[in-house]
Amino acid sequence: ESDAGDYTCVCGDKQSTASLAVHALPVVFKEELKNEEVLEGASVSLRCELSKEAPVQWKIGSKVLKGSDKYQMRQLGTTAELVIHDLEVKDA
């Protein structure tokens, strides 16, 4: 529920109304992704932390990743994680 809207102070038959607008703060990375070096065939977890809860999208280059047996995405609160299974050289 938004706190934005028109607020009114009423005293008897008199009243005063003001409009309140709430501007969202931009999301920033509190903890950025870190470079990883992993052996072929292993799994890796890439994790970052946001300043507040917000939806994220994972990409490799310009390709948007979808959840699958290979790519597992989870988000708990402000932490977003991508797990890549069964790594191949071409996954670099």
Side-chain angles (χ1 to χ4, degrees), residues 30-61:
K30 286 176 67 177
E31 184 182 327
E32 304 226 357
L33 292 173
K34 294 181 175 57
N35 293 338
E36 299 282 353
E37 289 190 23
V38 186
L39 290 174
E40 189 175 17
S43 295
V44 69
S45 172
L46 302 176
R47 184 181 294 118
C48 61
E49 187 179 351
L50 306 169
S51 57
K52 65 179 183 178
E53 273 189 66
V56 301
Q57 187 177 63
W58 289 93
K59 294 181 173 185
I60 180 165

